[in-house]
PDB file of all heavy atoms in Angstrom:
ATOM      1  N   ILE A   1      27.853  -4.640  85.725  1.00 95.00           N
ATOM      2  CA  ILE A   1      27.169  -4.740  87.090  1.00 95.00           C
ATOM      3  C   ILE A   1      25.698  -5.051  86.884  1.00 95.00           C
ATOM      4  O   ILE A   1      25.129  -5.845  87.574  1.00 95.00           O
ATOM      5  CB  ILE A   1      27.372  -3.474  87.856  1.00 95.00           C
ATOM      6  CG1 ILE A   1      28.748  -3.199  88.234  1.00 95.00           C
ATOM      7  CG2 ILE A   1      26.466  -3.411  89.121  1.00 95.00           C
ATOM      8  CD1 ILE A   1      29.406  -4.322  89.053  1.00 95.00           C
ATOM      9  N   GLY A   2      25.091  -4.354  85.901  1.00 95.00           N
ATOM     10  CA  GLY A   2      23.665  -4.491  85.579  1.00 95.00           C
ATOM     11  C   GLY A   2      23.193  -3.477  84.681  1.00 95.00           C
ATOM     12  O   GLY A   2      23.843  -2.511  84.310  1.00 95.00           O
ATOM     13  N   SER A   3      21.843  -3.648  84.270  1.00 96.00           N
ATOM     14  CA  SER A   3      21.207  -2.721  83.367  1.00 96.00           C
ATOM     15  C   SER A   3      19.952  -2.153  84.114  1.00 96.00           C
ATOM     16  O   SER A   3      19.328  -2.842  84.931  1.00 96.00           O
ATOM     17  CB  SER A   3      20.726  -3.432  82.050  1.00 96.00           C
ATOM     18  OG  SER A   3      21.885  -3.933  81.336  1.00 96.00           O
ATOM     19  N   TYR A   4      19.665  -0.828  83.854  1.00 96.00           N
ATOM     20  CA  TYR A   4      18.672  -0.122  84.591  1.00 96.00           C
ATOM     21  C   TYR A   4      17.939   0.837  83.741  1.00 96.00           C
ATOM     22  O   TYR A   4      18.402   1.150  82.559  1.00 96.00           O
ATOM     23  CB  TYR A   4      19.325   0.568  85.755  1.00 96.00           C
ATOM     24  CG  TYR A   4      20.239  -0.200  86.564  1.00 96.00           C
ATOM     25  CD1 TYR A   4      21.648  -0.247  86.238  1.00 96.00           C
ATOM     26  CD2 TYR A   4      19.829  -1.072  87.565  1.00 96.00           C
ATOM     27  CE1 TYR A   4      22.543  -1.123  86.911  1.00 96.00           C
ATOM     28  CE2 TYR A   4      20.699  -1.847  88.278  1.00 96.00           C
ATOM     29  CZ  TYR A   4      22.067  -1.928  87.938  1.00 96.00           C
ATOM     30  OH  TYR A   4      22.915  -2.721  88.644  1.00 96.00           O
ATOM     31  N   SER A   5      16.779   1.279  84.160  1.00 96.00           N
ATOM     32  CA  SER A   5      15.910   2.152  83.391  1.00 96.00           C
ATOM     33  C   SER A   5      15.973   3.569  84.041  1.00 96.00           C
ATOM     34  O   SER A   5      15.373   3.677  85.118  1.00 96.00           O
ATOM     35  CB  SER A   5      14.448   1.659  83.275  1.00 96.00           C
ATOM     36  OG  SER A   5      13.677   2.592  82.627  1.00 96.00           O
ATOM     37  N   LEU A   6      16.569   4.514  83.431  1.00 96.00           N
ATOM     38  CA  LEU A   6      16.529   5.877  83.810  1.00 96.00           C
ATOM     39  C   LEU A   6      15.141   6.483  83.444  1.00 96.00           C
ATOM     40  O   LEU A   6      14.575   7.298  84.176  1.00 96.00           O
ATOM     41  CB  LEU A   6      17.613   6.744  83.182  1.00 96.00           C
ATOM     42  CG  LEU A   6      18.982   6.391  83.544  1.00 96.00           C
ATOM     43  CD1 LEU A   6      20.012   7.226  82.848  1.00 96.00           C
ATOM     44  CD2 LEU A   6      19.199   6.535  85.076  1.00 96.00           C
ATOM     45  N   ALA A   7      14.531   6.029  82.368  1.00 95.00           N
ATOM     46  CA  ALA A   7      13.276   6.576  81.844  1.00 95.00           C
ATOM     47  C   ALA A   7      12.186   6.381  82.894  1.00 95.00           C
ATOM     48  O   ALA A   7      11.257   7.243  82.994  1.00 95.00           O
ATOM     49  CB  ALA A   7      12.872   5.951  80.539  1.00 95.00           C
ATOM     50  N   LYS A   8      12.213   5.287  83.707  1.00 93.00           N
ATOM     51  CA  LYS A   8      11.219   5.035  84.644  1.00 93.00           C
ATOM     52  C   LYS A   8      11.392   5.818  85.984  1.00 93.00           C
ATOM     53  O   LYS A   8      10.529   5.842  86.842  1.00 93.00           O
ATOM     54  CB  LYS A   8      11.121   3.578  85.004  1.00 93.00           C
ATOM     55  CG  LYS A   8      10.656   2.746  83.716  1.00 93.00           C
ATOM     56  CD  LYS A   8      10.639   1.287  83.981  1.00 93.00           C
ATOM     57  CE  LYS A   8      10.126   0.516  82.760  1.00 93.00           C
ATOM     58  NZ  LYS A   8      10.077  -0.956  82.987  1.00 93.00           N
ATOM     59  N   TYR A   9      12.525   6.534  86.058  1.00 93.00           N
ATOM     60  CA  TYR A   9      12.745   7.459  87.176  1.00 93.00           C
ATOM     61  C   TYR A   9      12.501   6.849  88.598  1.00 93.00           C
ATOM     62  O   TYR A   9      11.641   7.333  89.326  1.00 93.00           O
ATOM     63  CB  TYR A   9      12.011   8.788  87.067  1.00 93.00           C
ATOM     64  CG  TYR A   9      12.438   9.827  87.988  1.00 93.00           C
ATOM     65  CD1 TYR A   9      13.734  10.252  88.037  1.00 93.00           C
ATOM     66  CD2 TYR A   9      11.497  10.509  88.741  1.00 93.00           C
ATOM     67  CE1 TYR A   9      14.129  11.268  88.957  1.00 93.00           C
ATOM     68  CE2 TYR A   9      11.762  11.539  89.643  1.00 93.00           C
ATOM     69  CZ  TYR A   9      13.158  11.907  89.668  1.00 93.00           C
ATOM     70  OH  TYR A   9      13.509  12.900  90.522  1.00 93.00           O
ATOM     71  N   THR A  10      13.093   5.712  88.848  1.00 92.00           N
ATOM     72  CA  THR A  10      12.972   5.056  90.152  1.00 92.00           C
ATOM     73  C   THR A  10      14.272   5.191  90.908  1.00 92.00           C
ATOM     74  O   THR A  10      15.325   5.362  90.359  1.00 92.00           O
ATOM     75  CB  THR A  10      12.532   3.604  90.026  1.00 92.00           C
ATOM     76  OG1 THR A  10      13.561   2.986  89.152  1.00 92.00           O
ATOM     77  CG2 THR A  10      11.193   3.474  89.362  1.00 92.00           C
ATOM     78  N   THR A  11      14.157   4.961  92.292  1.00 93.00           N
ATOM     79  CA  THR A  11      15.449   4.964  93.025  1.00 93.00           C
ATOM     80  C   THR A  11      16.102   3.570  92.963  1.00 93.00           C
ATOM     81  O   THR A  11      15.408   2.612  93.218  1.00 93.00           O
ATOM     82  CB  THR A  11      15.183   5.306  94.494  1.00 93.00           C
ATOM     83  OG1 THR A  11      14.640   6.642  94.543  1.00 93.00           O
ATOM     84  CG2 THR A  11      16.418   5.276  95.355  1.00 93.00           C
ATOM     85  N   VAL A  12      17.338   3.520  92.640  1.00 95.00           N
ATOM     86  CA  VAL A  12      18.015   2.252  92.338  1.00 95.00           C
ATOM     87  C   VAL A  12      19.075   2.079  93.421  1.00 95.00           C
ATOM     88  O   VAL A  12      19.882   2.983  93.679  1.00 95.00           O
ATOM     89  CB  VAL A  12      18.694   2.175  90.970  1.00 95.00           C
ATOM     90  CG1 VAL A  12      19.404   0.807  90.742  1.00 95.00           C
ATOM     91  CG2 VAL A  12      17.575   2.411  89.877  1.00 95.00           C
ATOM     92  N   ASP A  13      19.169   0.875  93.949  1.00 95.00           N
ATOM     93  CA  ASP A  13      20.183   0.518  95.058  1.00 95.00           C
ATOM     94  C   ASP A  13      21.028  -0.581  94.533  1.00 95.00           C
ATOM     95  O   ASP A  13      20.478  -1.771  94.434  1.00 95.00           O
ATOM     96  CB  ASP A  13      19.432   0.150  96.258  1.00 95.00           C
ATOM     97  CG  ASP A  13      20.359   0.188  97.556  1.00 95.00           C
ATOM     98  OD1 ASP A  13      21.478  -0.239  97.294  1.00 95.00           O
ATOM     99  OD2 ASP A  13      19.954   0.570  98.634  1.00 95.00           O
ATOM    100  N   VAL A  14      22.314  -0.309  94.288  1.00 94.00           N
ATOM    101  CA  VAL A  14      23.162  -1.317  93.605  1.00 94.00           C
ATOM    102  C   VAL A  14      24.282  -1.707  94.534  1.00 94.00           C
ATOM    103  O   VAL A  14      25.049  -0.779  94.896  1.00 94.00           O
ATOM    104  CB  VAL A  14      23.593  -0.767  92.217  1.00 94.00           C
ATOM    105  CG1 VAL A  14      24.450  -1.862  91.543  1.00 94.00           C
ATOM    106  CG2 VAL A  14      22.565  -0.326  91.355  1.00 94.00           C
ATOM    107  N   PRO A  15      24.452  -2.989  94.852  1.00 94.00           N
ATOM    108  CA  PRO A  15      25.659  -3.392  95.620  1.00 94.00           C
ATOM    109  C   PRO A  15      26.917  -3.388  94.690  1.00 94.00           C
ATOM    110  O   PRO A  15      26.911  -3.822  93.553  1.00 94.00           O
ATOM    111  CB  PRO A  15      25.307  -4.826  96.023  1.00 94.00           C
ATOM    112  CG  PRO A  15      24.380  -5.267  95.024  1.00 94.00           C
ATOM    113  CD  PRO A  15      23.563  -4.115  94.511  1.00 94.00           C
ATOM    114  N   LEU A  16      28.020  -2.822  95.215  1.00 94.00           N
ATOM    115  CA  LEU A  16      29.265  -2.801  94.551  1.00 94.00           C
ATOM    116  C   LEU A  16      30.368  -3.435  95.336  1.00 94.00           C
ATOM    117  O   LEU A  16      30.486  -3.132  96.536  1.00 94.00           O
ATOM    118  CB  LEU A  16      29.693  -1.281  94.271  1.00 94.00           C
ATOM    119  CG  LEU A  16      28.768  -0.447  93.410  1.00 94.00           C
ATOM    120  CD1 LEU A  16      29.447   0.924  93.251  1.00 94.00           C
ATOM    121  CD2 LEU A  16      28.552  -1.077  92.023  1.00 94.00           C
ATOM    122  N   ALA A  17      31.117  -4.329  94.774  1.00 94.00           N
ATOM    123  CA  ALA A  17      32.162  -4.958  95.466  1.00 94.00           C
ATOM    124  C   ALA A  17      33.440  -4.297  95.003  1.00 94.00           C
ATOM    125  O   ALA A  17      33.962  -4.543  93.917  1.00 94.00           O
ATOM    126  CB  ALA A  17      32.176  -6.460  95.072  1.00 94.00           C
ATOM    127  N   LEU A  18      34.000  -3.452  95.912  1.00 94.00           N
ATOM    128  CA  LEU A  18      35.175  -2.647  95.548  1.00 94.00           C
ATOM    129  C   LEU A  18      36.414  -3.443  95.809  1.00 94.00           C
ATOM    130  O   LEU A  18      36.522  -4.206  96.834  1.00 94.00           O
ATOM    131  CB  LEU A  18      35.207  -1.371  96.332  1.00 94.00           C
ATOM    132  CG  LEU A  18      34.016  -0.426  96.170  1.00 94.00           C
ATOM    133  CD1 LEU A  18      34.224   0.795  97.038  1.00 94.00           C
ATOM    134  CD2 LEU A  18      33.736  -0.102  94.719  1.00 94.00           C
ATOM    135  N   ARG A  19      37.384  -3.276  95.000  1.00 95.00           N
ATOM    136  CA  ARG A  19      38.752  -3.884  95.317  1.00 95.00           C
ATOM    137  C   ARG A  19      39.595  -2.847  95.895  1.00 95.00           C
ATOM    138  O   ARG A  19      39.286  -1.628  96.031  1.00 95.00           O
ATOM    139  CB  ARG A  19      39.370  -4.281  94.004  1.00 95.00           C
ATOM    140  CG  ARG A  19      39.690  -3.251  92.990  1.00 95.00           C
ATOM    141  CD  ARG A  19      40.105  -3.807  91.654  1.00 95.00           C
ATOM    142  NE  ARG A  19      40.487  -2.736  90.700  1.00 95.00           N
ATOM    143  CZ  ARG A  19      40.609  -2.870  89.465  1.00 95.00           C
ATOM    144  NH1 ARG A  19      40.428  -4.109  88.868  1.00 95.00           N
ATOM    145  NH2 ARG A  19      40.975  -1.864  88.709  1.00 95.00           N
ATOM    146  N   ARG A  20      40.784  -3.280  96.431  1.00 95.00           N
ATOM    147  CA  ARG A  20      41.673  -2.331  97.130  1.00 95.00           C
ATOM    148  C   ARG A  20      42.225  -1.375  96.073  1.00 95.00           C
ATOM    149  O   ARG A  20      42.486  -1.718  94.953  1.00 95.00           O
ATOM    150  CB  ARG A  20      42.797  -3.122  97.685  1.00 95.00           C
ATOM    151  CG  ARG A  20      43.788  -2.190  98.454  1.00 95.00           C
ATOM    152  CD  ARG A  20      44.914  -3.045  99.109  1.00 95.00           C
ATOM    153  NE  ARG A  20      45.884  -2.157  99.792  1.00 95.00           N
ATOM    154  CZ  ARG A  20      46.924  -2.670 100.414  1.00 95.00           C
ATOM    155  NH1 ARG A  20      47.123  -4.042 100.462  1.00 95.00           N
ATOM    156  NH2 ARG A  20      47.831  -1.867 101.014  1.00 95.00           N
ATOM    157  N   GLY A  21      42.323  -0.075  96.453  1.00 95.00           N
ATOM    158  CA  GLY A  21      42.890   0.894  95.565  1.00 95.00           C
ATOM    159  C   GLY A  21      41.831   1.628  94.781  1.00 95.00           C
ATOM    160  O   GLY A  21      40.623   1.769  95.212  1.00 95.00           O
ATOM    161  N   ARG A  22      42.140   2.021  93.584  1.00 95.00           N
ATOM    162  CA  ARG A  22      41.190   2.794  92.787  1.00 95.00           C
ATOM    163  C   ARG A  22      40.226   1.839  92.026  1.00 95.00           C
ATOM    164  O   ARG A  22      40.595   0.875  91.394  1.00 95.00           O
ATOM    165  CB  ARG A  22      41.922   3.607  91.767  1.00 95.00           C
ATOM    166  CG  ARG A  22      40.982   4.443  90.742  1.00 95.00           C
ATOM    167  CD  ARG A  22      41.733   5.348  89.974  1.00 95.00           C
ATOM    168  NE  ARG A  22      42.238   6.433  90.763  1.00 95.00           N
ATOM    169  CZ  ARG A  22      42.856   7.564  90.263  1.00 95.00           C
ATOM    170  NH1 ARG A  22      43.095   7.688  89.010  1.00 95.00           N
ATOM    171  NH2 ARG A  22      43.296   8.476  91.085  1.00 95.00           N
ATOM    172  N   ASN A  23      38.912   2.192  92.061  1.00 96.00           N
ATOM    173  CA  ASN A  23      37.884   1.492  91.365  1.00 96.00           C
ATOM    174  C   ASN A  23      37.247   2.432  90.345  1.00 96.00           C
ATOM    175  O   ASN A  23      36.904   3.609  90.667  1.00 96.00           O
ATOM    176  CB  ASN A  23      36.756   1.020  92.340  1.00 96.00           C
ATOM    177  CG  ASN A  23      37.329  -0.013  93.284  1.00 96.00           C
ATOM    178  OD1 ASN A  23      37.155  -1.238  93.076  1.00 96.00           O
ATOM    179  ND2 ASN A  23      37.987   0.468  94.410  1.00 96.00           N
ATOM    180  N   THR A  24      37.044   1.953  89.155  1.00 96.00           N
ATOM    181  CA  THR A  24      36.455   2.743  88.122  1.00 96.00           C
ATOM    182  C   THR A  24      35.036   2.268  87.716  1.00 96.00           C
ATOM    183  O   THR A  24      34.819   1.109  87.363  1.00 96.00           O
ATOM    184  CB  THR A  24      37.369   2.737  86.819  1.00 96.00           C
ATOM    185  OG1 THR A  24      38.634   3.171  87.186  1.00 96.00           O
ATOM    186  CG2 THR A  24      36.807   3.594  85.758  1.00 96.00           C
ATOM    187  N   LEU A  25      34.116   3.202  87.809  1.00 96.00           N
ATOM    188  CA  LEU A  25      32.693   2.901  87.471  1.00 96.00           C
ATOM    189  C   LEU A  25      32.264   3.669  86.254  1.00 96.00           C
ATOM    190  O   LEU A  25      32.387   4.959  86.307  1.00 96.00           O
ATOM    191  CB  LEU A  25      31.772   3.168  88.633  1.00 96.00           C
ATOM    192  CG  LEU A  25      30.301   2.840  88.478  1.00 96.00           C
ATOM    193  CD1 LEU A  25      30.130   1.310  88.340  1.00 96.00           C
ATOM    194  CD2 LEU A  25      29.459   3.363  89.672  1.00 96.00           C
ATOM    195  N   VAL A  26      31.933   3.033  85.164  1.00 97.00           N
ATOM    196  CA  VAL A  26      31.617   3.625  83.904  1.00 97.00           C
ATOM    197  C   VAL A  26      30.093   3.533  83.739  1.00 97.00           C
ATOM    198  O   VAL A  26      29.464   2.512  83.863  1.00 97.00           O
ATOM    199  CB  VAL A  26      32.277   2.997  82.742  1.00 97.00           C
ATOM    200  CG1 VAL A  26      31.938   3.681  81.340  1.00 97.00           C
ATOM    201  CG2 VAL A  26      33.854   3.060  82.933  1.00 97.00           C
ATOM    202  N   TRP A  27      29.525   4.679  83.294  1.00 97.00           N
ATOM    203  CA  TRP A  27      28.036   4.825  83.072  1.00 97.00           C
ATOM    204  C   TRP A  27      27.765   4.853  81.574  1.00 97.00           C
ATOM    205  O   TRP A  27      28.083   5.848  80.978  1.00 97.00           O
ATOM    206  CB  TRP A  27      27.508   6.141  83.745  1.00 97.00           C
ATOM    207  CG  TRP A  27      27.684   6.114  85.228  1.00 97.00           C
ATOM    208  CD1 TRP A  27      28.928   6.213  85.865  1.00 97.00           C
ATOM    209  CD2 TRP A  27      26.725   6.040  86.291  1.00 97.00           C
ATOM    210  NE1 TRP A  27      28.741   6.181  87.224  1.00 97.00           N
ATOM    211  CE2 TRP A  27      27.423   6.138  87.513  1.00 97.00           C
ATOM    212  CE3 TRP A  27      25.370   5.962  86.259  1.00 97.00           C
ATOM    213  CZ2 TRP A  27      26.710   6.107  88.718  1.00 97.00           C
ATOM    214  CZ3 TRP A  27      24.654   5.954  87.435  1.00 97.00           C
ATOM    215  CH2 TRP A  27      25.328   6.037  88.645  1.00 97.00           C
ATOM    216  N   LYS A  28      27.256   3.765  80.999  1.00 97.00           N
ATOM    217  CA  LYS A  28      26.983   3.703  79.624  1.00 97.00           C
ATOM    218  C   LYS A  28      25.482   3.991  79.408  1.00 97.00           C
ATOM    219  O   LYS A  28      24.642   3.175  79.761  1.00 97.00           O
ATOM    220  CB  LYS A  28      27.353   2.337  79.078  1.00 97.00           C
ATOM    221  CG  LYS A  28      28.784   1.979  79.189  1.00 97.00           C
ATOM    222  CD  LYS A  28      29.147   0.686  78.474  1.00 97.00           C
ATOM    223  CE  LYS A  28      30.701   0.452  78.498  1.00 97.00           C
ATOM    224  NZ  LYS A  28      30.991  -0.841  77.818  1.00 97.00           N
ATOM    225  N   ILE A  29      25.176   5.209  78.872  1.00 96.00           N
ATOM    226  CA  ILE A  29      23.854   5.648  78.749  1.00 96.00           C
ATOM    227  C   ILE A  29      23.381   5.639  77.289  1.00 96.00           C
ATOM    228  O   ILE A  29      24.083   6.017  76.367  1.00 96.00           O
ATOM    229  CB  ILE A  29      23.801   7.142  79.239  1.00 96.00           C
ATOM    230  CG1 ILE A  29      24.354   7.239  80.665  1.00 96.00           C
ATOM    231  CG2 ILE A  29      22.363   7.649  79.108  1.00 96.00           C
ATOM    232  CD1 ILE A  29      24.610   8.635  81.126  1.00 96.00           C
ATOM    233  N   ARG A  30      22.189   5.072  77.115  1.00 95.00           N
ATOM    234  CA  ARG A  30      21.558   5.008  75.758  1.00 95.00           C
ATOM    235  C   ARG A  30      20.392   5.984  75.670  1.00 95.00           C
ATOM    236  O   ARG A  30      19.306   5.629  76.203  1.00 95.00           O
ATOM    237  CB  ARG A  30      21.150   3.614  75.443  1.00 95.00           C
ATOM    238  CG  ARG A  30      22.258   2.596  75.348  1.00 95.00           C
ATOM    239  CD  ARG A  30      21.858   1.199  75.000  1.00 95.00           C
ATOM    240  NE  ARG A  30      20.978   0.570  76.087  1.00 95.00           N
ATOM    241  CZ  ARG A  30      21.428   0.007  77.169  1.00 95.00           C
ATOM    242  NH1 ARG A  30      22.776  -0.074  77.343  1.00 95.00           N
ATOM    243  NH2 ARG A  30      20.658  -0.505  78.125  1.00 95.00           N
ATOM    244  N   ASN A  31      20.584   7.140  75.177  1.00 94.00           N
ATOM    245  CA  ASN A  31      19.549   8.115  75.078  1.00 94.00           C
ATOM    246  C   ASN A  31      19.081   8.211  73.592  1.00 94.00           C
ATOM    247  O   ASN A  31      19.873   8.571  72.700  1.00 94.00           O
ATOM    248  CB  ASN A  31      20.132   9.455  75.536  1.00 94.00           C
ATOM    249  CG  ASN A  31      19.030  10.571  75.498  1.00 94.00           C
ATOM    250  OD1 ASN A  31      18.062  10.590  74.711  1.00 94.00           O
ATOM    251  ND2 ASN A  31      19.069  11.442  76.559  1.00 94.00           N
ATOM    252  N   LEU A  32      17.847   7.702  73.357  1.00 91.00           N
ATOM    253  CA  LEU A  32      17.295   7.734  72.007  1.00 91.00           C
ATOM    254  C   LEU A  32      16.918   9.128  71.458  1.00 91.00           C
ATOM    255  O   LEU A  32      16.762   9.311  70.287  1.00 91.00           O
ATOM    256  CB  LEU A  32      16.080   6.893  71.963  1.00 91.00           C
ATOM    257  CG  LEU A  32      16.272   5.403  72.332  1.00 91.00           C
ATOM    258  CD1 LEU A  32      14.934   4.575  72.283  1.00 91.00           C
ATOM    259  CD2 LEU A  32      17.262   4.719  71.428  1.00 91.00           C
ATOM    260  N   PHE A  33      16.784  10.089  72.340  1.00 94.00           N
ATOM    261  CA  PHE A  33      16.332  11.433  71.978  1.00 94.00           C
ATOM    262  C   PHE A  33      17.206  12.539  72.603  1.00 94.00           C
ATOM    263  O   PHE A  33      16.735  13.366  73.367  1.00 94.00           O
ATOM    264  CB  PHE A  33      14.825  11.698  72.361  1.00 94.00           C
ATOM    265  CG  PHE A  33      13.985  10.543  71.937  1.00 94.00           C
ATOM    266  CD1 PHE A  33      13.485   9.657  72.896  1.00 94.00           C
ATOM    267  CD2 PHE A  33      13.538  10.366  70.636  1.00 94.00           C
ATOM    268  CE1 PHE A  33      12.591   8.633  72.591  1.00 94.00           C
ATOM    269  CE2 PHE A  33      12.675   9.420  70.242  1.00 94.00           C
ATOM    270  CZ  PHE A  33      12.181   8.470  71.238  1.00 94.00           C
ATOM    271  N   PRO A  34      18.554  12.520  72.306  1.00 92.00           N
ATOM    272  CA  PRO A  34      19.364  13.602  72.891  1.00 92.00           C
ATOM    273  C   PRO A  34      18.921  14.972  72.440  1.00 92.00           C
ATOM    274  O   PRO A  34      18.506  15.156  71.328  1.00 92.00           O
ATOM    275  CB  PRO A  34      20.747  13.260  72.353  1.00 92.00           C
ATOM    276  CG  PRO A  34      20.535  12.464  71.162  1.00 92.00           C
ATOM    277  CD  PRO A  34      19.239  11.695  71.369  1.00 92.00           C
TER     278      PRO A  34
END
């Protein structure tokens, strides 16, 4: 869908095109300092 910056702590508004039935959204987070 796209790439975003959590570090900058801004409000993000993302359009999603859902299909009929179940839709799966995966959040791939890259944290350099866990």
